[in-house]
Amino acid sequence: MGRDVFMHSSGRTAHFLLFEIWILAIGTCGTVTITVPTELILGIVGQPLLLPVNYSTETKDQDIQITWTFQSHSSGSMLLITAINNTLTPDMEHGHRFFLSPPSATLLINPVELCDDGEYTIKVTVAGEKLTSASQQLTVHVNVPVSKPVVHSDPAWGAVEYVDNATLTCTVSEGTKVIYQWLKDGKPFRTSTRHIFSADNKMLFISPVLKDDLCNYTCVAKNPISVNESEPIAPNIYYGPYDLMVKSEPRFKISEGVFAVGKGEPVWFKCSANSNPPNVYSWFQKANNKTTPIHRGPVLNIRSEKVPEKADYMCCVYNNITGKRDETQFTVILSATGKERQKQKGSSLHSLVIIVGLSLTLIACILLYFLLRRYFPRKVITKERNYRTPTDYIRAHQVSADQEPSVEDCGIYEFVAVPEPADFPQVPPDKLSTVYDIIRVPDIHTVYDVICQTPKTS
Ligand SMILES: *[C@@H]1O[C@H](CO)[C@@H](O)[C@H](O)[C@H]1NC(C)=O
Ligand SMILES: *[C@@H]1O[C@H](CO)[C@@H](O)[C@H](O)[C@H]1NC(C)=O
Ligand SMILES: *[C@@H]1O[C@H](CO)[C@@H](O)[C@H](O)[C@H]1NC(C)=O
Ligand SMILES: *[C@@H]1O[C@H](CO)[C@@H](O)[C@H](O)[C@H]1NC(C)=O
Ligand SMILES: *[C@@H]1O[C@H](CO)[C@@H](O)[C@H](O)[C@H]1NC(C)=O
Ligand SMILES: *[C@@H]1O[C@H](CO)[C@@H](O)[C@H](O)[C@H]1NC(C)=O
Ligand SMILES: *[C@@H]1O[C@H](CO)[C@@H](O)[C@H](O)[C@H]1NC(C)=O
């Protein structure tokens, strides 16, 4: 149908071009020549319409008769008006609307009516020495301009998606030979298997309707003389719920579907889903394998001191027209409040101070130790025991027994804990030459210490 429209409009353009270039339709018969600018003339009901014609004759001073006749499917053929020289003879039945002003052959119809739609013939006869005549045919299309089209959507209350069908009907109260076109959101309609047009294009069937059909539809009504466009109409389509989600303040959200809220902090959750009509919202708390309804409406406010440490909540949406529902679950975890967070911060600061203090003390002690060692050196002399003879040991033993050691006693002393004789190992006696041999024998637990005392003799 849209194609027909296109062809028709291009036809109009062609006629317009014809008009523009003044194609000459020449009726030649004898010496009379008739010229018309265009063979198709479009008339608007109620307005005057001119049927322009020129003719020429070779000779002057002769009788000239101009005759207009009309023929249509409904009324057949009839004489409209005739003039001989400058004398008009209008048809008594139709003549009151047809005007001719000889010698011009141009016919004026005022006002033009729908019944004037048809074929017109102009005939010019010249009676001189010889009788000659010429005729030319013109086509007149008379139309009523289209009024503003109105689109009705059916069912008027709305259609449920995937269930109902919808019909859009375009009507014009006035207008003849109207053809219809549809625009979807201002663009030419692309048909699909779900969209069917009636034969006259006045109606658009959508079967079944979907949410995608929720657009502005415009009906364009046109005829050869006018174009008029309807107000856009969006059919009422019930759909959803879609895109269900729960929102809260972003600072509470820790991951998808998990919110952490400080104890004592008030918190809100907003549930939203795309749906027509608006959803019915209900909230549930899930705890201990029990689902408890807690609220109705899109926004849930929670006083966090009144809720468990960790609880699951559910937002259920229900579209009471489509009968569809959806639900989403989320978890609320109680975390430290701002106050507790500060307290925690304070205590961690405290322990940090303690750690730093302890470390500093330790470092000071180590430093002190090294300083002391530096200024009060303590020389430890270890001498190879091999340098000492058993006599040294014997002497040492004697000295230790002595009450008052003499100056000569100054030297190197070594205390040796010698194991009990019974514990002496089974070393062959011949190999035991010194006490050292005993001590050195492996597996004998020997403890020895060296004390050095070097008094200065002055
Ligand atoms: C008829 O003749 C007049 C003047 O002679 C001219 O202006 C007009 O364009 C002609 N019309 C046609 C249809 O030839
Ligand atoms: C028509 O007009 C021509 C010249 O203009 C004249 O010769 C002729 O007699 C007229 N005919 C009639 C019937 O008046
Ligand atoms: C459309 O029709 C209305 C009347 O229904 C009219 O007032 C208006 O001018 C028309 N518009 C066009 C563009 O023809
Ligand atoms: C919608 O139209 C289809 C055919 O296009 C028909 O089979 C179906 O019954 C209609 N549904 C309703 C609800 O009218
Ligand atoms: C239809 O058009 C109006 C105005 O341009 C706009 O406000 C509305 O959202 C549109 N509706 C749809 C379904 O596109
Ligand atoms: C359906 O839900 C809407 C919006 O919540 C409400 O206004 C309407 O009364 C409900 N209709 C029925 C039949 O429950
Ligand atoms: C929850 O309750 C249902 C029915 O009352 C039961 O079958 C299920 O095992 C329970 N689940 C837990 C985790 O207690």
Side-chain angles (χ1 to χ4, degrees):
M1 210 58 185
R3 195 189 160 94
D4 292 354
V5 172
F6 177 75
M7 283 172 68
H8 198 105
S9 65
S10 66
R12 277 188 68 201
T13 317
H15 286 305
F16 189 64
L17 279 174
L18 278 174
F19 184 83
E20 283 285 285
I21 59 173
W22 288 75
I23 281 184
L24 303 179
I26 301 161
T28 49
C29 191
T31 56
V32 184
T33 310
I34 298 174
T35 54
V36 293
T38 172
E39 286 176 60
L40 179 72
I41 293 159
L42 298 173
I44 299 169
V45 165
Q47 292 186 8
L49 182 69
L50 271 181
L51 276 60
V53 173
N54 274 3
Y55 68 93
S56 61
T57 57
E58 281 173 352
T59 51
K60 303 228 167 168
D61 303 335
Q62 52 200 342
D63 290 347
I64 297 170
Q65 183 175 23
I66 299 164
T67 306
W68 280 96
T69 51
F70 168 73
Q71 62 220 109
S72 73
H73 294 297
S74 52
S75 59
S77 182
M78 67 176 88
L79 176 74
L80 294 175
I81 192 163
T82 185
I84 297 172
N85 270 5
N86 293 340
T87 313
L88 280 173
T89 314
D91 179 80
M92 287 183 76
E93 194 184 345
H94 311 285
H96 57 282
R97 290 191 297 113
F98 297 90
F99 305 95
L100 197 63
S101 35
S104 167
T106 295
L107 182 71
L108 170 71
I109 312 173
N110 191 17
V112 73
E113 286 175 6
L114 274 180
C115 60
D116 298 333
D117 201 288
E119 304 292 326
Y120 288 79
T121 309
I122 167 78
K123 186 177 170 198
V124 178
T125 310
V126 177
E129 291 166 10
K130 214 167 97 192
L131 195 71
T132 55
S133 73
S135 67
Q136 177 66 45
Q137 210 170 52
L138 293 154
T139 304
V140 170
H141 285 168
V142 180
N143 281 293
V144 177
V146 284
S147 58
K148 200 177 182 69
V150 177
V151 178
H152 294 283
S153 176
D154 183 60
W157 65 276
V160 177
E161 73 163 344
Y162 293 109
V163 175
D164 291 333
N165 302 331
T167 307
L168 297 178
T169 310
C170 182
T171 49
V172 289
S173 56
E174 283 170 34
T176 48
K177 300 185 196 125
V178 181
I179 53 170
Y180 300 90
Q181 270 179 301
W182 292 86
L183 302 178
K184 186 177 179 179
D185 282 337
K187 295 183 200 87
F189 204 96
R190 267 190 272 150
T191 51
S192 80
T193 50
R194 289 191 303 110
H195 303 95
I196 303 155
F197 292 101
S198 65
D200 57 5
N201 237 28
K202 272 179 88 165
M203 286 197 268
L204 165 63
F205 302 105
I206 308 175
S207 165
V209 290
L210 298 186
K211 180 174 171 279
D212 289 348
D213 297 318
L214 201 55
C215 297
N216 277 322
Y217 294 86
T218 313
C219 171
V220 181
K222 56 170 100 177
N223 68 8
I225 55 158
S226 63
V227 180
N228 217 324
E229 199 174 294
S230 74
E231 287 296 322
I233 178 176
N236 190 15
I237 296 172
Y238 297 112
Y239 61 87
Y242 293 123
D243 310 323
L244 172 62
M245 62 177 177
V246 169
K247 274 198 304 192
S248 186
E249 283 176 69
R251 66 194 173 104
F252 293 136
K253 185 169 177 174
I254 54 173
S255 69
E256 203 50 53
V258 182
F259 299 90
V261 180
K263 211 183 182 99
E265 266 182 293
V267 59
W268 55 262
F269 295 98
K270 190 170 190 294
C271 195
S272 65
N274 191 4
S275 148
N276 180 37
N279 293 295
V280 178
Y281 295 88
S282 39
W283 298 81
F284 298 88
Q285 185 182 323
K286 288 173 92 178
N288 309 324
N289 199 15
K290 220 171 69 185
T291 305
T292 325
I294 50 171
H295 184 63
R296 277 181 168 271
V299 178
L300 173 70
N301 284 299
I302 296 183
R303 308 273 314 161
S304 57
E305 68 264 25
K306 289 184 186 158
V307 301
E309 289 282 312
K310 181 170 186 262
D312 288 336
Y313 291 88
M314 210 162 72
C315 172
C316 296
V317 289
Y318 174 60
N319 182 325
N320 61 12
I321 301 281
T322 63
K324 289 184 184 161
R325 58 182 76 238
D326 197 2
E327 60 183 51
T328 184
Q329 194 170 318
F330 60 99
T331 306
V332 176
I333 300 166
L334 284 195
S335 67
T337 63
K339 237 183 211 172
E340 276 175 2
R341 271 185 213 133
Q342 263 182 8
K343 220 191 275 172
Q344 257 188 5
K345 225 186 259 172
S347 71
S348 65
L349 196 73
H350 192 225
S351 47
L352 193 72
V353 166
I354 289 173
I355 289 167
V356 169
L358 280 175
S359 313
L360 283 176
T361 316
L362 196 68
I363 290 166
C365 285
I366 291 165
L367 280 175
L368 196 67
Y369 171 75
F370 279 108
L371 278 174
L372 283 173
R373 271 206 63 174
R374 174 132 189 207
Y375 292 105
F376 304 96
R378 209 170 150 227
K379 207 169 177 189
V380 177
I381 298 160
T382 22
K383 257 198 162 173
E384 261 309 314
R385 301 165 201 117
N386 293 8
Y387 289 159
R388 276 168 243 154
T389 61
T391 17
D392 286 338
Y393 284 95
I394 290 155
R395 220 178 96 212
H397 193 247
Q398 281 171 348
V399 168
S400 72
D402 231 321
Q403 292 296 327
E404 288 172 29
S406 64
V407 183
E408 286 121 312
D409 293 331
C410 281
I412 299 152
Y413 298 90
E414 198 161 2
F415 295 92
V416 181
V418 179
E420 289 296 308
D423 293 339
F424 281 166
Q426 298 73 32
V427 184
D430 55 318
K431 293 203 174 159
L432 285 172
S433 51
T434 70
V435 68
Y436 254 86
D437 288 328
I438 298 166
I439 296 161
R440 275 201 206 125
V441 169
D443 293 327
I444 291 174
H445 187 76
T446 313
V447 179
Y448 57 90
D449 200 357
V450 179
I451 296 167
C452 172
Q453 204 65 52
T454 5
K456 188 97 180 160
T457 39
S458 51

